[in-house]
Amino acid sequence: RMRRLKHLVTKHFSDIQVIAYVRPQHQWLRSTFTQELRRGGVPLDLYEHQYRQRIVLKYSKVNQLWSRAFGRKNVSFRPLERERLYEQNLLADFCHSTGLPYNTDLSDTLTNLSLSPEGQVKAMCINLLCLSGDIVEQERREIIRYLNTSYPGKGFAPSEKQVLKIQYYFRPYN
């Protein structure tokens, strides 16, 4: 896949710089858990979700893949921590890092919403109904949009014990 991506990109650009934003794996898992619910997935628990995401979360392996395709000097990793981002904004940081112009009008429209734990459970139930054929995809999307506005919140948070297990597993890859 990486070779195909490189082939597609090099058709249009001669100078390619890869910037990957990374954060501690347990934070990434929490975020993608909610995203998977929004896309129609039904992650049963954090460990199942972690297993399915295991390749992406091994940052040293990801670095090797990108570096092999685009060259080590063309790949950089930046921490996805608000306080370390330029102007504490991901898009502003990316633009600043690449020299691209930054449109501040976009800031308010690019918020990353989360579902509350109750919203996550409801989304999982809706997704199961869609998988069983009891509702169609268009209805599922409309209900998820409703849940996004009606059940905002921090979402599922792994316990300290779960976080330590997760971080221990990924320590060799950081």
Side-chain angles (χ1 to χ4, degrees):
R1 283 197 249 172
M2 196 61 74
R3 279 190 217 147
R4 197 168 87 210
L5 174 64
K6 182 180 180 181
H7 177 72
L8 291 170
V9 173
T10 55
K11 284 202 276 190
H12 303 284
F13 303 98
S14 58
D15 181 26
I16 300 165
Q17 298 292 313
V18 176
I19 300 175
Y21 286 87
V22 296
R23 58 178 148 185
Q25 286 92 343
H26 68 281
Q27 292 175 5
W28 193 89
L29 282 166
R30 182 187 304 163
S31 175
T32 58
F33 190 84
T34 295
Q35 290 172 13
E36 187 171 337
L37 286 171
R38 287 190 178 136
R39 283 193 313 265
V42 188
L44 300 178
D45 64 30
L46 190 65
Y47 294 106
E48 175 206 356
H49 184 65
Q50 172 190 331
Y51 179 76
R52 284 191 270 152
Q53 304 296 328
R54 68 192 179 283
I55 300 300
V56 175
L57 291 169
K58 294 178 179 179
Y59 294 149
S60 60
K61 300 283 186 194
V62 171
N63 186 19
Q64 287 173 0
L65 289 171
W66 285 101
S67 294
R68 269 190 231 126
F70 294 97
R72 177 76 185 112
K73 67 180 182 1
N74 297 320
V75 177
S76 62
F77 284 79
R78 298 182 56 79
L80 185 54
E81 298 169 10
R82 187 173 297 278
E83 62 278 355
R84 294 177 67 183
L85 297 173
Y86 181 77
E87 295 185 6
Q88 297 188 345
N89 179 296
L90 179 61
L91 184 57
D93 188 84
F94 178 78
C95 290
H96 180 74
S97 299
T98 59
L100 293 170
Y102 172 61
N103 182 348
T104 56
D105 295 338
L106 295 175
S107 296
D108 294 334
T109 61
L110 295 173
T111 55
N112 188 5
L113 304 173
S114 290
L115 288 171
S116 68
E118 183 180 0
Q120 288 179 327
V121 169
K122 290 178 187 243
M124 195 178 298
C125 293
I126 294 303
N127 292 343
L128 284 169
L129 287 171
C130 188
L131 288 172
S132 69
D134 291 332
I135 64 171
V136 295
E137 178 60 21
Q138 182 58 37
E139 291 174 315
R140 188 198 71 78
R141 283 193 206 124
E142 290 173 21
I143 294 168
I144 295 297
R145 272 196 291 276
Y146 167 77
L147 292 175
N148 282 332
T149 58
S150 301
Y151 295 91
K154 189 144 171 88
F156 169 76
S159 70
E160 187 66 25
K161 185 177 177 182
Q162 288 173 314
V163 168
L164 291 174
K165 282 182 182 177
I166 291 167
Q167 283 304 105
Y168 178 78
Y169 174 77
F170 289 108
R171 192 170 292 139
Y173 304 103
N174 291 334

